[in-house]
Amino acid sequence: MGILDVFKKDKKKKIANPGDPQSMNMLQKMAMKKLEKMNPQERESLMKKVMTPENIQKNKKDILATLEQMEKSGQMNSHQIFEAKKRLGLL
């Protein structure tokens, strides 16, 4: 190990947990805090606006990848994944 090895970038990609604040960038952290501070009615109306069938189909690959990653990390079990897919219309 040489002196310049300290400055080399880590080539290994780490699988980040999307809900982990340590893996979020600044804008994501700000959005998360704003969402947490919203009252339940505001949050529900925002989710209805975002979770339209057009948006779900447009982002289908990302949603499925996130669900798969959540299953691998142990945040959700296979039954919960199935229910989420069913509710989102991704089956």
Short mmCIF file of all heavy atoms in Angstrom, two decimals, residues 1 3 13 20-21 26 28 33-34 36 38 40-42 44 54 58-59 61 66-67 70 73 77 85 88-89:
data_model
loop_
_atom_site.label_atom_id
_atom_site.label_comp_id
_atom_site.label_asym_id
_atom_site.label_seq_id
_atom_site.Cartn_x
_atom_site.Cartn_y
_atom_site.Cartn_z
N MET A 1 0.85 -1.17 0.00
CA MET A 1 0.00 0.00 0.00
C MET A 1 0.89 1.23 0.00
O MET A 1 1.68 1.44 0.90
CB MET A 1 -0.91 -0.01 1.23
CG MET A 1 -1.81 1.17 1.30
SD MET A 1 -3.04 0.86 2.59
CE MET A 1 -3.60 2.50 2.79
N ILE A 3 1.56 5.52 -0.54
CA ILE A 3 1.05 6.76 0.04
C ILE A 3 -0.16 7.27 -0.75
O ILE A 3 -1.11 7.78 -0.18
CB ILE A 3 2.17 7.83 0.05
CG1 ILE A 3 3.28 7.38 1.00
CG2 ILE A 3 1.62 9.18 0.47
CD1 ILE A 3 4.49 8.27 0.96
N LYS A 13 -19.25 -0.59 -5.51
CA LYS A 13 -20.49 0.17 -5.34
C LYS A 13 -21.22 -0.39 -4.13
O LYS A 13 -21.43 -1.59 -4.03
CB LYS A 13 -21.37 0.06 -6.57
CG LYS A 13 -20.90 0.90 -7.70
CD LYS A 13 -22.06 1.22 -8.59
CE LYS A 13 -21.64 2.31 -9.52
NZ LYS A 13 -22.75 2.94 -10.14
N ASP A 20 -32.43 5.44 4.25
CA ASP A 20 -31.37 5.75 5.19
C ASP A 20 -30.91 7.20 5.00
O ASP A 20 -30.47 7.57 3.92
CB ASP A 20 -30.19 4.80 4.97
CG ASP A 20 -29.08 5.01 5.98
OD1 ASP A 20 -29.34 5.56 7.06
OD2 ASP A 20 -27.95 4.60 5.67
N PRO A 21 -31.00 8.04 6.02
CA PRO A 21 -30.59 9.43 5.87
C PRO A 21 -29.11 9.60 5.52
O PRO A 21 -28.73 10.59 4.92
CB PRO A 21 -30.86 10.04 7.25
CG PRO A 21 -31.79 9.11 7.94
CD PRO A 21 -31.58 7.77 7.32
N MET A 26 -28.50 16.25 -0.07
CA MET A 26 -29.07 17.35 0.69
C MET A 26 -30.54 17.62 0.32
O MET A 26 -31.39 17.81 1.19
CB MET A 26 -28.25 18.62 0.47
CG MET A 26 -28.68 19.77 1.35
SD MET A 26 -27.70 21.23 1.11
CE MET A 26 -28.39 21.85 -0.40
N GLN A 28 -32.73 15.56 -0.97
CA GLN A 28 -33.57 14.46 -0.52
C GLN A 28 -33.84 14.58 0.98
O GLN A 28 -34.95 14.32 1.44
CB GLN A 28 -32.92 13.12 -0.83
CG GLN A 28 -32.91 12.79 -2.31
CD GLN A 28 -32.10 11.54 -2.61
OE1 GLN A 28 -31.08 11.28 -1.97
NE2 GLN A 28 -32.55 10.79 -3.60
N LYS A 33 -37.62 15.83 5.40
CA LYS A 33 -38.00 16.59 6.58
C LYS A 33 -39.32 17.32 6.35
O LYS A 33 -40.17 17.38 7.24
CB LYS A 33 -36.91 17.59 6.94
CG LYS A 33 -35.71 16.95 7.58
CD LYS A 33 -34.67 17.97 7.95
CE LYS A 33 -33.43 17.29 8.53
NZ LYS A 33 -32.39 18.27 8.86
N LYS A 34 -39.49 17.89 5.16
CA LYS A 34 -40.74 18.60 4.85
C LYS A 34 -41.92 17.64 4.86
O LYS A 34 -42.99 17.96 5.38
CB LYS A 34 -40.63 19.28 3.49
CG LYS A 34 -41.83 20.12 3.16
CD LYS A 34 -41.61 20.95 1.93
CE LYS A 34 -42.86 21.78 1.69
NZ LYS A 34 -42.66 22.88 0.83
N GLU A 36 -42.14 14.87 6.60
CA GLU A 36 -42.40 14.47 7.99
C GLU A 36 -43.15 15.54 8.76
O GLU A 36 -43.93 15.25 9.65
CB GLU A 36 -41.07 14.16 8.69
CG GLU A 36 -40.42 12.89 8.22
CD GLU A 36 -39.03 12.68 8.79
OE1 GLU A 36 -38.49 13.62 9.45
OE2 GLU A 36 -38.46 11.60 8.58
N MET A 38 -45.38 17.63 7.50
CA MET A 38 -46.73 17.85 6.98
C MET A 38 -47.77 17.19 7.86
O MET A 38 -47.50 16.15 8.47
CB MET A 38 -46.87 17.24 5.58
CG MET A 38 -46.26 18.01 4.49
SD MET A 38 -46.62 17.17 2.93
CE MET A 38 -45.78 18.26 1.82
N PRO A 40 -51.28 15.04 8.33
CA PRO A 40 -51.72 13.85 7.58
C PRO A 40 -52.56 14.15 6.34
O PRO A 40 -52.45 13.47 5.33
CB PRO A 40 -52.52 13.05 8.61
CG PRO A 40 -51.97 13.48 9.92
CD PRO A 40 -51.58 14.92 9.76
N GLN A 41 -53.41 15.18 6.41
CA GLN A 41 -54.24 15.50 5.26
C GLN A 41 -53.40 16.00 4.09
O GLN A 41 -53.63 15.61 2.94
CB GLN A 41 -55.29 16.57 5.62
CG GLN A 41 -56.34 16.10 6.58
CD GLN A 41 -55.89 16.18 8.04
OE1 GLN A 41 -54.92 16.85 8.36
NE2 GLN A 41 -56.58 15.48 8.91
N GLU A 42 -52.42 16.86 4.37
CA GLU A 42 -51.53 17.36 3.30
C GLU A 42 -50.73 16.22 2.69
O GLU A 42 -50.57 16.14 1.48
CB GLU A 42 -50.55 18.40 3.86
CG GLU A 42 -51.13 19.75 4.13
CD GLU A 42 -50.09 20.69 4.68
OE1 GLU A 42 -49.33 20.28 5.58
OE2 GLU A 42 -50.04 21.84 4.21
N GLU A 44 -51.49 13.04 2.60
CA GLU A 44 -52.37 12.17 1.82
C GLU A 44 -52.69 12.79 0.45
O GLU A 44 -52.67 12.10 -0.56
CB GLU A 44 -53.65 11.89 2.58
CG GLU A 44 -54.55 10.88 1.91
CD GLU A 44 -55.78 10.55 2.73
OE1 GLU A 44 -55.74 10.72 3.96
OE2 GLU A 44 -56.78 10.14 2.12
N GLU A 54 -50.53 7.06 -14.31
CA GLU A 54 -49.55 7.45 -15.34
C GLU A 54 -48.14 7.53 -14.76
O GLU A 54 -47.18 7.06 -15.36
CB GLU A 54 -49.92 8.82 -15.95
CG GLU A 54 -51.24 8.83 -16.69
CD GLU A 54 -52.42 9.08 -15.77
OE1 GLU A 54 -52.27 9.72 -14.72
OE2 GLU A 54 -53.52 8.59 -16.11
N LYS A 58 -44.96 5.12 -15.61
CA LYS A 58 -43.77 5.78 -16.14
C LYS A 58 -42.53 5.39 -15.33
O LYS A 58 -41.45 5.22 -15.87
CB LYS A 58 -43.97 7.30 -16.09
CG LYS A 58 -42.83 8.09 -16.71
CD LYS A 58 -43.16 9.56 -16.82
CE LYS A 58 -43.15 10.21 -15.47
NZ LYS A 58 -43.32 11.66 -15.51
N ASN A 59 -42.69 5.21 -14.02
CA ASN A 59 -41.58 4.89 -13.13
C ASN A 59 -41.60 3.44 -12.67
O ASN A 59 -41.07 3.11 -11.61
CB ASN A 59 -41.60 5.82 -11.92
CG ASN A 59 -41.45 7.25 -12.31
OD1 ASN A 59 -40.58 7.59 -13.11
ND2 ASN A 59 -42.31 8.11 -11.78
N LYS A 61 -40.04 0.67 -13.58
CA LYS A 61 -38.75 0.01 -13.37
C LYS A 61 -38.13 0.43 -12.04
O LYS A 61 -37.61 -0.41 -11.29
CB LYS A 61 -37.79 0.33 -14.51
CG LYS A 61 -38.13 -0.33 -15.81
CD LYS A 61 -37.12 0.02 -16.87
CE LYS A 61 -37.52 -0.56 -18.22
NZ LYS A 61 -36.57 -0.18 -19.26
N THR A 66 -36.76 -0.71 -6.42
CA THR A 66 -36.78 -0.30 -5.02
C THR A 66 -37.44 -1.37 -4.15
O THR A 66 -36.94 -1.69 -3.07
CB THR A 66 -37.52 1.03 -4.86
OG1 THR A 66 -36.88 2.01 -5.67
CG2 THR A 66 -37.51 1.50 -3.42
N LEU A 67 -38.55 -1.93 -4.63
CA LEU A 67 -39.21 -2.99 -3.87
C LEU A 67 -38.31 -4.21 -3.72
O LEU A 67 -38.23 -4.81 -2.64
CB LEU A 67 -40.53 -3.38 -4.54
CG LEU A 67 -41.67 -2.37 -4.45
CD1 LEU A 67 -42.85 -2.82 -5.31
CD2 LEU A 67 -42.11 -2.19 -3.01
N MET A 70 -35.67 -3.44 -1.18
CA MET A 70 -36.22 -3.46 0.17
C MET A 70 -36.41 -4.88 0.67
O MET A 70 -36.23 -5.16 1.86
CB MET A 70 -37.54 -2.69 0.20
CG MET A 70 -37.38 -1.20 0.04
SD MET A 70 -38.94 -0.34 -0.04
CE MET A 70 -39.34 -0.24 1.70
N SER A 73 -32.94 -6.22 1.64
CA SER A 73 -32.40 -5.63 2.86
C SER A 73 -33.20 -6.03 4.10
O SER A 73 -32.81 -5.73 5.21
CB SER A 73 -32.35 -4.11 2.76
OG SER A 73 -33.65 -3.57 2.74
N ASN A 77 -41.16 -8.26 3.63
CA ASN A 77 -41.11 -9.67 3.26
C ASN A 77 -41.84 -9.85 1.93
O ASN A 77 -42.40 -8.91 1.38
CB ASN A 77 -41.69 -10.55 4.38
CG ASN A 77 -43.14 -10.25 4.66
OD1 ASN A 77 -43.90 -9.87 3.78
ND2 ASN A 77 -43.54 -10.44 5.92
N LYS A 85 -47.25 -4.43 -4.79
CA LYS A 85 -47.37 -4.53 -6.24
C LYS A 85 -48.84 -4.57 -6.65
O LYS A 85 -49.24 -3.95 -7.64
CB LYS A 85 -46.65 -5.77 -6.77
CG LYS A 85 -45.15 -5.63 -6.77
CD LYS A 85 -44.51 -6.90 -7.29
CE LYS A 85 -43.00 -6.85 -7.24
NZ LYS A 85 -42.40 -8.10 -7.74
N LEU A 88 -50.38 -1.10 -6.27
CA LEU A 88 -49.87 -0.16 -7.26
C LEU A 88 -50.25 -0.57 -8.68
O LEU A 88 -50.01 0.19 -9.62
CB LEU A 88 -48.35 -0.05 -7.15
CG LEU A 88 -47.84 0.64 -5.89
CD1 LEU A 88 -46.32 0.51 -5.80
CD2 LEU A 88 -48.24 2.09 -5.84
N GLY A 89 -50.78 -1.76 -8.85
CA GLY A 89 -51.18 -2.22 -10.17
C GLY A 89 -50.01 -2.67 -11.01
O GLY A 89 -50.00 -2.54 -12.22
#
